[in-house]
Amino acid sequence: MEFRIDSGVLTDAVAWAARVLPARSPMPVLGGLLLEAADGRLRVSGLDHEASARVEVEADTDVEGRALVLGRRLLDICKVLPRGVTELAVEGARLSVTSGGARFGLSLLPLDDYPAPPALPGVRGLVDGDAFAAAVGQVAVAAGRDDSLPVLTGIRLALDGTTMTLAATDRYRYAVRTLEWKPAADGGEPADVVVPAKRLAEIARSLAGTGPARLALDSGSIGFESDGLRTTTRLLDGRLPRHDKLFALGDHALAATDRVPLTEAVKRVAVVAEGDSPVQLTFTPTSIHLQAGYEDDVASQHLPATLTGPDTLTVAFNPGYLLDALTTLDAPQVHFHLLGPGQRALLTDGPEPTHRHLLMSVKPLV
């Protein structure tokens, strides 16, 4: 195998494939990246027991062939390569990497021991890469981090007609985002699966700017393919708690204010909030009063707002959770649907929301 490629293109391709490599594995070959050069293209592939990634880019191929090398070592080399054309060639039992006078050698791993990559599941339809990346980013903040409850570390992905629903919860908050997608003519029945949040967030970020992406799904895995990129990941077992009843608040107060000024105000007053000390929001028909801290270490700010229902209503939130909700909403105004102190509160991006974020309010400041 022998080919030439721009060092930047090579680095991006290796970084994309290397993200699925396991940190540790009883099978050393799973730490490898498979390089395949043929017909003016370079294919870089990586996999572990949970996920796979493959990317194809243009390359000047002199000798077709395949090579398996330690992926993280190759990525380290790529990051320090001089800019310009890089030459890679198999020389006996090693892969040589030459660029701008710098030369590296990498030992080859045994190709016969490398497992076959998983096939892409059946394609279910198309989703816009930018819209999908934004939606996943908006719900991923609410996914759990506790591996003892694996299903809560995932994002629910539900398909029903032309609507895709993404949802995540760590039991203290619950984010839901809907977006349109284009099911294939034979896209099959509605689907409802849970995808590891970290994996899905990485995939979504890489799909931004690539245009329409093919979404593939079966009973055990999900895959995406777009612009030379292909990736698969296993699904999580179980189901997230249903959000329908949680989000049905019944009779409640409605408050609204400009989102960006409120976000900045929460950041400002939260500097005196120690640990999980809450930020208190007091709504009136014309304003919102923010307060944080205790005794002499306090901060406050007033902002314009509206309140429909009671003359005044006070709620308090964990400042980190509140900021996560506010920063992932992307509408000019944020709407608060409020039951009262210590009860559920729903933040939305408008009267007919596509993004909803449920928080539990906590005991207001005394």
Side-chain angles (χ1 to χ4, degrees):
M1 182 183 74
E2 185 175 344
F3 64 91
R4 294 181 302 278
I5 188 172
D6 179 81
S7 60
V9 174
L10 176 65
T11 301
D12 289 345
V14 170
W16 157 257
R19 65 188 178 81
V20 301
L21 297 181
R24 297 180 180 84
S25 173
M27 296 177 61
V29 292
L30 288 184
L33 286 180
L34 179 63
L35 309 181
E36 300 173 280
D39 300 324
R41 307 284 291 177
L42 170 67
R43 177 185 293 176
V44 185
S45 305
L47 58 84
D48 68 3
H49 295 296
E50 302 295 331
S52 71
R54 191 189 79 185
V55 56
E56 287 190 9
V57 292
E58 293 184 358
D60 294 326
T61 306
D62 294 327
V63 180
E64 297 182 358
R66 306 164 76 227
L68 184 67
V69 296
L70 284 174
R72 300 193 189 282
R73 179 64 57 82
L74 177 59
L75 180 58
D76 288 341
I77 290 173
C78 288
K79 288 178 179 178
V80 298
L81 287 174
R83 294 191 176 186
V85 175
T86 300
E87 298 181 1
L88 292 91
V90 172
E91 298 174 348
R94 73 176 185 178
L95 176 73
S96 70
V97 183
T98 306
S99 181
R103 183 179 176 86
F104 301 86
L106 275 173
S107 300
L108 297 178
L109 298 174
L111 280 168
D112 292 343
D113 295 340
Y114 195 66
L120 191 72
V123 174
R124 299 290 298 270
L126 297 174
V127 63
D128 179 78
D130 287 331
F132 184 71
V136 171
Q138 288 174 314
V139 302
V141 295
R145 273 69 168 172
D146 185 356
D147 289 334
S148 66
L149 296 168
V151 71
L152 294 186
T153 66
I155 291 176
R156 177 191 176 210
L157 188 152
L159 306 174
D160 188 2
T162 60
T163 300
M164 176 187 295
T165 300
L166 300 168
T169 180
D170 59 4
R171 295 182 299 175
Y172 305 105
R173 49 198 171 155
Y174 206 136
V176 177
R177 176 72 158 84
T178 58
L179 68 157
E180 290 187 357
W181 81 302
K182 185 178 180 181
D186 57 348
E189 297 297 319
D192 195 338
V193 299
V194 181
V195 189
K198 183 178 179 181
R199 296 281 194 196
L200 191 60
E202 290 174 346
I203 292 168
R205 285 193 296 267
S206 67
L207 294 178
T210 63
R214 287 174 288 279
L215 186 156
L217 185 65
D218 61 21
S219 60
S221 64
I222 190 169
F224 295 87
E225 188 173 42
S226 177
D227 194 29
L229 306 176
R230 173 185 286 190
T231 184
T232 64
T233 190
R234 288 190 180 180
L235 302 174
L236 292 174
D237 293 328
R239 292 287 181 267
L240 294 186
R242 302 292 296 190
H243 65 269
D244 310 69
K245 291 184 178 180
L246 287 173
F247 283 28
L249 301 185
D251 187 26
H252 64 277
L254 176 62
T257 189
D258 291 339
R259 183 182 61 85
V260 173
L262 177 59
T263 303
E264 295 304 315
V266 173
K267 291 178 182 178
R268 194 171 293 121
V269 302
V271 298
V272 299
E274 296 183 1
D276 293 330
S277 175
V279 170
Q280 178 173 290
L281 284 63
T282 299
F283 292 94
T284 74
T286 60
S287 69
I288 175 176
H289 176 75
L290 288 82
Q291 181 180 342
Y294 295 100
E295 298 180 349
D296 294 329
D297 296 325
V298 294
S300 64
Q301 184 170 348
H302 277 86
L303 293 172
T306 62
L307 175 65
T308 303
D311 292 334
T312 182
L313 182 61
T314 298
V315 291
F317 300 101
N318 175 298
Y321 290 171
L322 179 58
L323 282 172
D324 280 345
L326 292 173
T327 54
T328 55
L329 290 164
D330 56 9
Q333 279 204 325
V334 55
H335 293 243
F336 288 81
H337 304 255
L338 303 168
L339 290 174
Q343 301 188 62
R344 304 191 307 279
L346 187 63
L347 281 64
T348 69
D349 56 5
E352 297 182 1
T354 59
H355 182 193
R356 296 170 289 170
H357 200 113
L358 188 78
L359 295 176
M360 284 300 300
S361 61
V362 298
K363 184 179 179 181
L365 301 170
V366 177

